[in-house]
Amino acid sequence: MAREAMLQAVGVTSVRRAEGRPAVDDISFECLPGQVTALLGVRGAGKTALVRLIAGLDAGRGVTYFRGTPLHRVSDPAREVGLVLGEVPGHPARTAGGHLRMLSAAVGVPAARADDLLDTVGLGALRDERLGLLSRGMDRRLALAAALLGDPHTLILDEPCRDLSARDGAWLLGRIREHATAGGTVLCATRDPKEAARFADHVITVDGGRVVADQDVKAFARTRLRPRVSVRTPHAARLSDAVRREARAARRSVEVVAESSSLLSVYGSSCPEIGETAFRHGVLVHRLTDEVGDACTAVAPHPRVPGGEAVAPHESASAGSPARVATTTPSPELARGPVALGPVAPRPNTPESAPRIPPPESGGAPPATAPQAVYPQAPTPQTPHAPAPQAPPATATAPPADPVDALRGADEAPAVRLGRSRSPRRALRYEVRRLLGVRTAPLITAVVVASSLALCVLLARGGAAPRPSVLVAWPGFLPLPPAAFGAGLIGALSFGEEFRFPALTAVRGVSPRRPGLLVAKLAVTAAAAVTLAVLAVVADAQVLRLVHGADLGALRANWADLGIRWLGLCVGCAWAGLLAAAVFRVTAAGVAAVLAVPVLIAPLVEFALLGPAVRSIAGLPGRLRSAAQGRLPESADPWIRGALELVAQPVGAAMVLSLSALICAYLFIALRRRTTW
């Protein structure tokens, strides 16, 4: 009984490049549970582009089904797909354990899951090691642990063993095999055909952005890892018998495989020997070539003739039958396009594993017991990796409204709950771990407090600066006090590091521009800004009392008004830096937006406010309390008055205008762009 495909790509095509040809052009294939499928191709063949399209990281056409459901409709992609796309995209100063615990909050699993995976991949002793100091092999182990956080059914890997030692590569391939043996589905891109033959159950060869071969590992090892002589002749049976008789007479190990009625593949011989045999027996030969299948031999798929075989563009139809480029033709289901999916079975605990046949070494002689079977070109027999087409359900329902459902052409029960990708499951916990996982925020806090203390002492010694300016360390020659600028820098780094070190790419379906993550970042940066503001003021007040013996009694009488202005300035700077970095994707843009408020926008607002009629806000808090029907206490009047006076100030009005513009730009970009990165 054929098994259902757990991963099925239908018509996957990348965006057309400037030269006119897309990197991935209309690729369709499927992967089965309990098997490792290798995506083989040389450099530039389109493997990485295809992997990113399947994972939904790049825009393109086509659709990929995971257990019968398109990825963009899976409610929790991190629990369905795990990605290993090279090195870990994390901050180099973050520890391995801290990085994995941060991602565990994004996936929504306990931190204990991260600690267990570190021990599983052999990094338990290196949980406190920084990412920048990990070796390539340890880094790849951490990437695998991050992909396994959500216990996904499907693993997608892009050349995981590249630049690894033989020991690390063998360990990684062993872990991949264990995941498939447990019932999972594995798609692994590689450029080494011998490596694909060692660890894969099924091999899909791509070249020029298209599939040129789709084989099980036995057929792949027989046809693509051994040198052979390809013979095109209308008398294939006669030539095959003649070659076998002469090989037996000479006691040579020669294997003849009839690929079609007019095409032979001869292993263990050479072109001169086959040519002389054909001449002696009077057999007409249309083509005689040496082939070594350790790499793709075709640049692009060639047009097909009615017999189902590819025609090489350099050969003429009048010269005889065309040459076969791909070793085997794709299954009929892939040739017809989308396959109707039936009800998807749950993930098996003990899947039926296909027998693994060790491939022969490259260039070696064929095994003594190898059968000399004939492999017809058409029709293609059913194989374990090509499930038989299923009949449509007896009770048809209304056509689906989703275009993806219309493309599928069937109405099946999905294996996973439908929904859109969300923000990190525990966004606030993720953001707190991201902020405190590196020393950047504590270092900024220390520098801000030290700078604020130094400026406070200098301003107090001069005696000319107003006491509030001395307390917050804001001399006239600086656009912002140190605490406000430090809060803006923390806000800019909050989103700038998300794009510089895109750790969330390991958690498929999580976008850094989701509203939930934005709210979490706004809350955490506001808390960091308030902490900086309070620390700076408390430290400055203690210095003024100890060094100069200053009396702050006059400021205590108006502490609510001054406190609201001070905290509003710091929080506004933090949010301005955060939103600008989110819109422009760089930290420098956030810092520029923070400095632009007092330097550029505030003077323009002040010039606009110097009009003839500016109404006083005296009595406005009382009127607001009356409008609220007495629900606001009288003690709230100082806070309301302070907030209104803050907005009425040029810097406050400029901050409100800047934040409004940045929020509108952020929402426009987040709604307009559907892709994550």
Side-chain angles (χ1 to χ4, degrees):
M1 179 176 172
R3 286 176 286 175
E4 295 289 346
M6 295 292 105
L7 187 157
Q8 186 181 34
V10 179
V12 177
T13 306
S14 62
V15 178
R16 192 171 297 276
R17 297 180 294 189
E19 56 269 25
R21 183 176 181 181
V24 177
D25 190 4
D26 194 19
I27 286 183
S28 299
F29 64 90
E30 56 188 23
C31 304
L32 293 180
Q35 290 189 0
V36 177
T37 302
L39 193 63
L40 177 65
V42 297
R43 184 177 182 181
K47 303 186 304 299
T48 299
L50 179 58
V51 165
R52 293 185 64 85
L53 285 169
I54 292 173
L57 299 178
D58 290 340
R61 299 194 305 273
V63 63
T64 305
Y65 299 109
F66 292 86
R67 291 196 279 182
T69 303
L71 184 60
H72 73 277
R73 298 180 60 192
V74 176
S75 61
D76 198 351
R79 298 179 183 271
E80 184 68 26
V81 185
L83 301 177
V84 178
L85 302 179
E87 298 181 355
V88 175
H91 196 293
R94 199 180 306 276
T95 63
H99 179 81
L100 213 57
R101 284 190 291 271
M102 179 186 71
L103 292 182
S104 68
V107 176
V109 298
R113 168 74 175 168
D115 297 333
D116 293 341
L117 280 174
L118 283 175
D119 295 332
T120 300
V121 299
L123 296 180
L126 300 177
R127 65 180 70 248
D128 295 327
E129 191 75 14
R130 296 183 182 181
L131 299 184
L133 301 179
L134 292 178
S135 65
R136 191 175 298 274
M138 299 298 104
D139 184 268
R140 208 61 55 85
R141 290 178 182 231
L142 183 61
L144 180 62
L148 294 175
L149 269 176
D151 192 19
H153 180 276
T154 302
L155 273 182
I156 300 178
L157 308 97
D158 184 19
E159 299 193 44
C161 298
R162 183 177 59 186
D163 301 329
L164 292 186
S165 64
R167 179 179 179 182
D168 290 334
W171 179 90
L172 187 59
L173 295 179
R175 294 297 304 175
I176 294 173
R177 169 53 56 186
E178 289 180 9
H179 182 81
T181 303
T185 304
V186 178
L187 176 63
C188 181
T190 181
R191 66 178 66 175
D192 187 355
K194 296 182 180 179
E195 180 181 88
R198 283 197 304 268
F199 77 91
D201 302 296
H202 195 82
V203 181
I204 299 171
T205 307
V206 296
D207 191 21
R210 295 184 179 180
V211 174
V212 296
D214 191 341
Q215 309 162 284
D216 59 25
V217 68
K218 181 180 179 181
F220 172 78
R222 178 180 61 82
T223 58
R224 302 197 64 80
L225 292 183
R226 295 163 57 194
R228 60 191 179 274
V229 177
S230 179
V231 185
R232 177 77 62 175
T233 172
H235 309 290
R238 286 177 53 196
L239 183 58
S240 175
D241 293 338
V243 171
R244 290 193 181 102
R245 287 198 305 269
E246 293 190 357
R248 285 195 297 267
R251 295 185 178 180
R252 292 187 294 109
S253 177
V254 176
E255 180 186 6
V256 182
V257 177
E259 303 289 356
S260 69
S261 60
S262 61
L263 180 63
L264 298 177
S265 292
V266 184
Y267 300 90
S269 185
S270 63
C271 283
E273 293 175 352
I274 301 301
E276 292 174 0
T277 301
F279 177 77
R280 284 193 295 268
H281 293 80
V283 176
L284 177 64
V285 174
H286 289 167
R287 188 176 69 114
L288 185 63
T289 57
D290 284 319
E291 292 184 358
V292 179
D294 59 349
C296 298
T297 56
V299 177
H302 306 308
R304 294 187 176 275
V305 295
E309 296 163 358
V311 180
H314 61 275
E315 292 181 337
S316 170
S318 61
S321 301
R324 186 174 61 87
V325 180
T327 308
T328 60
T329 56
S331 61
E333 289 78 16
L334 295 179
R336 285 195 295 267
V339 182
L341 299 177
V344 180
R347 178 176 177 178
N349 294 326
T350 57
E352 31 181 285
S353 302
R356 296 186 50 78
I357 303 176
E361 293 295 330
S362 176
T369 59
Q372 299 181 357
V374 177
Y375 296 84
Q377 186 71 10
T380 304
Q382 291 290 340
T383 58
H385 68 276
Q390 298 187 7
T395 57
T397 58
D402 197 332
V404 175
D405 291 338
L407 177 62
R408 292 173 66 180
D411 194 10
E412 308 87 10
V416 289
R417 182 168 54 89
L418 303 182
R420 296 289 181 180
S421 58
R422 304 294 180 184
S423 303
R425 292 290 177 178
R426 299 168 184 172
L428 190 61
R429 186 178 302 179
Y430 164 81
E431 181 59 23
V432 171
R433 290 176 180 174
R434 188 208 60 79
L435 180 66
L436 302 180
V438 294
R439 300 177 182 176
T440 304
L443 181 61
I444 291 176
T445 302
V447 172
V448 163
V449 173
S451 303
S452 183
L453 290 175
L455 290 174
C456 178
V457 171
L458 292 177
L459 290 175
R461 179 177 297 179
R467 189 55 55 89
S469 299
V470 175
L471 187 61
V472 299
W474 192 357
F477 61 86
L478 287 181
L480 287 172
F485 180 76
L489 182 58
I490 289 178
L493 289 172
S494 179
F495 254 122
E497 289 185 352
E498 290 286 1
F499 293 104
R500 186 180 179 187
F501 308 107
L504 289 178
T505 53
V507 185
R508 177 61 190 92
V510 175
S511 171
R513 281 178 169 153
R514 286 287 179 181
L517 185 57
L518 173 64
V519 172
K521 287 184 176 293
L522 289 174
V524 172
T525 52
V530 170
T531 303
L532 272 179
V534 172
L535 285 177
V537 170
V538 170
D540 292 346
Q542 295 299 324
V543 167
L544 289 177
R545 182 180 293 112
L546 293 176
V547 177
H548 298 284
D551 185 14
L552 303 178
L555 297 178
R556 294 193 188 98
N558 199 21
W559 68 273
D561 186 12
L562 296 176
I564 287 177
R565 295 185 183 184
W566 174 235
L567 295 180
L569 177 63
C570 293
V571 173
C573 289
W575 285 357
L578 183 146
L579 292 171
V583 171
F584 297 101
R585 301 164 63 97
V586 289
T587 304
V591 177
V594 171
L595 295 177
V597 172
V599 175
L600 296 178
I601 304 177
L604 296 177
V605 173
E606 185 177 7
F607 177 78
L609 291 178
L610 292 178
V614 178
R615 188 172 181 178
S616 175
I617 63 172
L620 183 57
R623 293 195 297 271
L624 291 176
R625 189 172 62 253
S626 300
Q629 299 179 355
R631 285 178 293 181
L632 295 177
E634 293 185 4
S635 58
D637 287 357
W639 298 93
I640 298 175
R641 184 171 55 253
L644 294 174
E645 290 179 355
L646 175 63
V647 176
Q649 294 291 331
V651 175
M655 186 69 68
V656 171
L657 290 176
S658 299
L659 291 178
S660 301
L662 289 173
I663 289 175
C664 292
Y666 178 89
L667 293 177
F668 174 76
I669 294 176
L671 294 175
R672 185 169 179 266
R673 295 183 178 179
R674 295 181 178 271
T675 55
T676 304
W677 300 94

